[in-house]
Amino acid sequence: MAKTLVLAEKPSVASDIARVLGCKKKGNGCIIGDKYVVTWALGHLVTLADPEAYDDKYKSWRMEDLPMLPTKFRLVVIGQTSKQFKAVSALLNGSECDKVVIATDAGREGELVARWIIMKSGCKKPMQRLWISSQTDKAIREGFASLKPSSQYDNLFRSAQARAQADWLVGLNVTRALTCKHNAQLSAGRVQTPTLAMIVKREEEILKFRPKDYFTVKLDFGSFTALYKDKNGKARMFDAAEAQAIAQQARGKKATLTEVRKTYKYKTPPAAYDLTELQRDANKKYGYSAKQTLSIMQSLYERHKVLTYPRTDSRYITKDVVPTIPERLRAISTGPYKEFAGALLKGKNIQTKYIVNDAKVTDHHAIIPTEQYVDLNALSNDERHVYDLVVRRFLAVLSEPYEYNEAQVRADIGKLSFYAKGQSVISPGWKAVYGSSSFDEDDGDPDSLPSLNQGAQLEVKEARIVSGKTSPPSRYTEATLLTAMENPSGQINDSSLKSALKDAGGIGTPATRADIIEKLFDCFYVERRGKEIHPTSKGKQLISIAPEDLRSAELTAKWEQRLTRIAEGKEKDSDFIAEMREYASSLVSGVKKSSSVYRHDNITREVCPECGKYLLEVNGKKGKMLVCQDRECGYRKSLSVITNARCPQCHKKLEMRGEGDKKTFYCVCGYREKLSDFEKRRDKGGAGKREVENYMKAQSRQKQAGSTALADELAKWLEANK
């Protein structure tokens, strides 16, 4: 009897589906059962071909060959995952299965993953679609009981393919045009460029900002303080004489408590994590980059299997996941979570109204713990940190609200009014999960106020004038940049476009935003200074010379409107792509005609050993580098590397400079130490194996040239001291 082939997007999902369908026998890239064979992709196995696949002339980047407008787009197998494609293709075309069930992620990109694999393999078998929003056994069983015809999702596929082809036409053509025009390594794209534009605009706002002195007046009544506010509720004054006059009127006087109001309030728990929110908090609390957090999450999901799928944009779960919550709580009942998980399990009913919302779950539900028991000792420090964030948020969202009484006081002296606010906790609720290190969006709880009676007279002990300066906008960190990418409506004026962009979830996706930010660093458009992101001269210049349309999120909003219409069958994808061909041509023409000039202001007098051009000095993610200004050369040389070795004086990370015998550690505090002295100190016990191993791990993650010599030396020492 012929079987049904099920194509999932990831091995972990395939494993879950196979278990539910009773498939147990392992095959080549698949799991085999009596009625089903379950196979999987590894994300995209097939992609659009590079330009050189259409014509050999595109192997060289020349302005006269632009724009590149293939009459028909070609698909190619991605080299790194070609082995799995061959296995899937053999199953699609083999005689064992006579029909196919597409079980990739229920969304636009998931549809594209499957359809491109099926198209490239040439499979013509009948197809059905599994469309589920969670991976529980119940959801899988119900999904297979109500499979949909694949034709029902043809328009969704056309929408997904149109988006990919449009990005190819616009991104590759503009990137080549800018690079050829200015003979510099420049790139632009629909998501990358508006993201960079936000960073550059913020820098301009900061540079233009001029601080202003302001003043506030505070009264000290002994047991509490109160702040002066005018009739509009504003406390800041920009006239020192006005502040002085108000303070003078209050000194030595008695204030009358004209209002003492106590109000019961509560604060519900924060929603569970989606990937973007988790990346934000991990950056705030631990300084992890968005890409680091995603990598750690992937390990917790795939290797340890203790957290659910990370690449989600939902902060809720569906009703069918609720019955699994007790088992998930039992799985995390260890270490610092045992008390809270136990209390929830002992309760009559677990609070789920703050985590369950079927309407707000798209392809995947929120990131929560799995039913897999966790061994905390098996997790690395970084994994523990991210796991802790997710588990505490899960415990919090299942807990009761934080309840408190808020007291508001108004004290009058003549026509002047002074205000104070305080809180008294009734029940800590979900905040107890975080303890003293509460990590939520509060700005801090106001102090408690003493017991006060309306109409009472209070003596003013002191009237103080507090001065300050207005602050410029803050530079972006990865946390705030992720927020801006998710909500870039400030770049758009048209309300319908704002709505389209909101429905699309901003620019980029939870799965791609980390890579977009990393690309900005890799291209040296931005650099890190502590947690802050600063645009480089290269980044600023790119925004000034890139086509204006690409600098705004408005382009994504316009595309999303069109793509939605394609998915709904209200517009032909061929019409959209025809317009994109014309649009790409106009962008290239604009770059060709532009009179803008790009200048390297970081050029050195050191000559490239490969091509003879002068090298550029740039700040890479892990230190300073020299890179060739010629795109076709690509030479790179490391000048310094931020290591994982710590300064013995201030404990900051040390920077390694020099080559050979001149290798020296440098610290911002002024400390210096030659590598040879470091090795002697290490051998005497001043630098232990753990420090060196941590340094080695950091070095192994580096891809920058010139950073391996020290790592090789330390590796030899580790081997000798095992």
Side-chain angles (χ1 to χ4, degrees):
M1 184 180 72
K3 299 177 182 179
T4 298
L5 180 65
V6 181
L7 174 58
E9 190 164 330
K10 296 169 287 291
S12 57
V13 175
S15 177
D16 289 339
I17 292 174
R19 177 172 45 77
V20 173
L21 297 178
C23 303
K24 298 178 180 178
K25 183 181 175 183
K26 289 187 178 180
N28 179 25
C30 64
I31 307 171
I32 304 167
D34 295 335
K35 296 181 180 179
Y36 296 92
V37 176
V38 183
T39 188
W40 56 85
L42 299 166
H44 280 283
L45 299 181
V46 175
T47 190
L48 293 173
D50 289 330
E52 46 267 33
Y54 298 95
D55 196 315
D56 284 345
K57 70 180 181 181
Y58 294 138
K59 289 180 180 179
S60 297
W61 289 30
R62 293 187 295 263
M63 187 70 89
E64 56 267 30
D65 294 331
L66 301 177
M68 303 174 293
L69 305 171
T71 54
K72 185 177 180 181
F73 283 95
R74 298 180 191 174
L75 294 174
V76 294
V77 177
I78 298 171
Q80 299 94 311
T81 53
S82 59
K83 182 179 178 182
Q84 183 61 17
F85 173 79
K86 288 177 183 176
V88 176
S89 182
L91 291 165
L92 285 166
N93 293 298
S95 58
E96 187 176 8
C97 301
D98 64 354
K99 58 184 176 181
V100 178
V101 172
I102 297 174
T104 46
D105 291 351
R108 190 168 72 188
E109 204 63 23
E111 197 68 25
L112 188 66
V113 167
R115 297 297 187 104
W116 273 0
I117 292 170
I118 292 166
M119 287 172 62
K120 186 64 178 173
S121 70
C123 176
K124 303 293 184 183
K125 294 175 181 177
M127 291 186 292
Q128 292 177 293
R129 186 55 157 109
L130 174 72
W131 193 268
I132 54 177
S133 58
S134 66
Q135 298 296 332
T136 63
D137 290 6
K138 181 183 177 184
I140 293 169
R141 280 193 293 269
E142 289 178 351
F144 271 90
S146 57
L147 292 171
K148 309 288 193 302
S150 65
S151 58
Q152 192 172 317
Y153 300 91
D154 285 351
N155 286 330
L156 183 66
F157 161 63
R158 293 186 184 105
S159 170
Q161 182 168 256
R163 192 275 310 155
Q165 292 174 351
D167 274 333
W168 192 103
L169 288 166
V170 172
L172 295 189
N173 275 298
V174 174
T175 291
R176 289 202 175 200
L178 288 170
T179 298
C180 294
K181 171 84 173 180
H182 302 287
N183 191 29
Q185 297 181 39
L186 301 172
S187 64
R190 177 178 57 89
V191 178
Q192 172 192 315
T193 308
T195 302
L196 176 60
M198 289 191 287
I199 298 170
V200 171
K201 183 182 178 184
R202 178 63 57 86
E203 190 69 18
E204 290 171 351
E205 290 170 351
I206 292 170
L207 293 176
K208 290 177 182 176
F209 182 83
R210 296 293 177 266
K212 292 174 65 178
D213 292 321
Y214 70 85
F215 309 90
T216 59
V217 178
K218 274 190 175 181
L219 299 188
D220 184 353
F221 292 112
S223 56
F224 71 100
T225 60
L227 181 69
Y228 168 77
K229 291 183 182 180
D230 64 17
K231 292 179 180 178
N232 297 316
K234 293 182 179 180
R236 289 183 179 184
M237 292 165 275
F238 295 94
D239 184 347
E242 180 187 0
Q244 187 63 51
I246 290 169
Q248 189 60 41
Q249 288 180 61
R251 289 189 180 109
K253 303 285 178 60
K254 286 191 175 182
T256 303
L257 293 180
T258 53
E259 183 181 344
V260 177
R261 185 156 44 95
K262 188 178 285 187
T263 310
Y264 166 79
K265 290 193 174 185
Y266 67 92
K267 184 175 182 182
T268 58
Y273 278 121
D274 62 5
L275 178 58
T276 303
E277 183 72 6
L278 180 61
Q279 288 170 322
R280 275 196 287 259
D281 280 1
N283 180 256
K284 289 177 188 174
K285 190 167 186 180
Y286 301 113
Y288 296 151
S289 70
K291 193 161 187 176
Q292 270 182 293
T293 302
L294 178 55
S295 176
I296 295 165
M297 263 299 306
Q298 283 293 136
S299 176
L300 291 166
Y301 166 65
E302 292 178 355
R303 182 181 163 210
H304 298 289
K305 303 184 188 302
V306 293
L307 294 182
T308 57
Y309 183 66
R311 298 169 188 258
T312 176
D313 61 357
S314 176
R315 301 186 66 185
Y316 298 90
I317 63 173
T318 49
K319 291 175 184 174
D320 62 349
V321 181
V322 173
T324 70
I325 289 177
E327 193 173 348
R328 295 174 195 270
L329 287 170
R330 283 190 284 272
I332 63 173
S333 293
T334 184
Y337 321 116
K338 188 174 183 179
E339 177 187 348
F340 300 107
L344 288 171
L345 285 166
K346 287 176 184 175
K348 291 182 180 179
N349 294 302
I350 297 172
Q351 175 67 263
T352 60
K353 68 179 180 180
Y354 303 117
I355 194 173
V356 177
N357 190 327
D358 286 40
K360 291 189 176 181
V361 177
T362 51
D363 297 359
H364 300 278
H365 62 61
I367 300 170
I368 59 175
T370 65
E371 298 95 328
Q372 174 78 34
Y373 170 77
V374 62
D375 178 5
L376 295 176
N377 293 323
L379 306 182
S380 68
N381 281 340
D382 290 345
E383 289 167 343
R384 280 287 298 269
H385 288 156
V386 173
Y387 182 76
D388 183 75
L389 285 174
V390 174
V391 171
R392 288 190 189 276
R393 179 61 63 90
F394 180 64
L395 291 168
V397 76
L398 295 174
S399 301
E400 297 295 332
Y402 165 64
E403 299 177 277
Y404 60 98
N405 282 322
E406 182 179 87
Q408 292 179 311
V409 173
R410 190 179 101 194
D412 289 347
I413 299 176
K415 294 182 179 180
L416 303 178
S417 295
F418 299 83
Y419 298 83
K421 186 187 289 186
Q423 285 183 10
S424 56
V425 177
I426 299 171
S427 171
W430 62 269
K431 286 200 172 190
V433 173
Y434 291 98
S436 58
S437 59
S438 180
F439 191 64
D440 57 83
E441 297 301 317
D442 277 351
D443 293 324
D445 295 332
D447 296 330
S448 59
L449 292 174
S451 179
L452 299 168
N453 297 314
Q454 191 164 320
Q457 299 279 307
L458 298 176
E459 185 179 342
V460 176
K461 304 288 184 184
E462 185 181 0
R464 297 195 304 271
I465 298 174
V466 180
S467 60
K469 288 183 181 291
T470 55
S471 301
S474 299
R475 286 186 175 87
Y476 285 111
T477 63
E478 287 210 29
T480 56
L481 185 58
L482 285 166
T483 301
M485 292 175 76
E486 194 174 39
N487 302 288
S489 56
Q491 292 188 343
I492 301 174
N493 296 319
D494 187 295
S495 59
S496 66
L497 292 179
K498 281 187 178 184
S499 178
L501 198 58
K502 184 179 179 181
D503 292 341
I507 55 175
T509 67
T512 61
R513 287 181 190 128
D515 285 332
I516 292 295
I517 294 172
E518 284 300 308
K519 188 172 183 181
L520 294 178
F521 286 109
D522 290 340
C523 293
F524 309 114
Y525 295 144
V526 299
E527 60 188 25
R528 285 189 185 93
R529 297 180 193 172
K531 283 189 177 183
E532 292 183 337
I533 299 174
H534 291 244
T536 62
S537 171
K538 183 179 182 181
K540 293 175 185 176
Q541 289 189 79
L542 176 66
I543 293 304
S544 69
I545 63 179
E548 188 174 353
D549 279 5
L550 290 184
R551 303 177 208 170
S552 170
E554 191 168 303
L555 181 62
T556 291
K558 288 177 179 177
W559 282 20
E560 286 300 335
Q561 280 187 325
R562 303 284 299 279
L563 294 171
T564 298
R565 288 180 60 80
I566 294 169
E568 293 171 347
K570 297 176 181 177
E571 184 175 339
K572 289 183 178 180
D573 57 322
S574 56
D575 292 343
F576 176 71
I577 292 302
E579 285 187 35
M580 289 301 105
R581 292 177 193 277
E582 293 178 9
Y583 181 57
S585 297
S586 68
L587 290 176
V588 169
S589 178
V591 173
K592 285 180 179 179
K593 295 175 183 176
S594 171
S595 59
S596 60
V597 178
Y598 178 85
R599 291 186 177 87
H600 295 293
D601 62 357
N602 57 339
I603 198 163
T604 69
R605 304 311 296 171
E606 188 165 339
V607 174
C608 174
E610 302 290 338
C611 69
K613 293 185 174 66
Y614 287 119
L615 295 170
L616 308 174
E617 184 176 313
V618 297
N619 289 317
K621 289 180 291 183
K622 294 291 183 179
K624 287 186 173 62
M625 301 178 67
L626 291 176
V627 299
C628 185
Q629 61 181 283
D630 192 319
R631 174 195 55 79
E632 293 187 356
C633 175
Y635 175 80
R636 292 186 174 196
K637 174 187 175 183
S638 176
L639 289 179
S640 66
V641 179
I642 304 299
T643 73
N644 223 37
R646 296 282 178 172
C647 172
Q649 292 183 359
C650 71
H651 305 295
K652 288 186 171 66
K653 289 184 177 181
L654 293 167
E655 181 182 15
M656 172 63 71
R657 302 178 197 166
E659 297 180 354
D661 295 338
K662 295 182 179 179
K663 281 194 173 85
T664 304
F665 285 110
Y666 287 77
C667 183
V668 291
C669 74
Y671 177 80
R672 295 184 183 183
E673 184 178 26
K674 286 187 175 181
L675 172 62
S676 55
D677 294 334
F678 171 84
E679 290 171 331
K680 290 175 185 176
R681 182 165 62 86
R682 175 200 62 206
D683 293 337
K684 292 178 181 178
K689 278 189 187 180
R690 182 180 294 274
E691 180 180 1
V692 179
E693 284 172 348
N694 287 339
Y695 174 66
M696 285 293 298
K697 286 177 183 176
Q699 295 305 298
S700 69
R701 291 193 293 266
Q702 281 185 231
K703 297 179 181 178
Q704 296 170 348
S707 65
T708 58
L710 176 61
D712 290 341
E713 292 180 43
L714 292 177
K716 292 174 186 175
W717 179 83
L718 281 172
E719 186 64 32
N721 287 272
K722 279 185 177 178

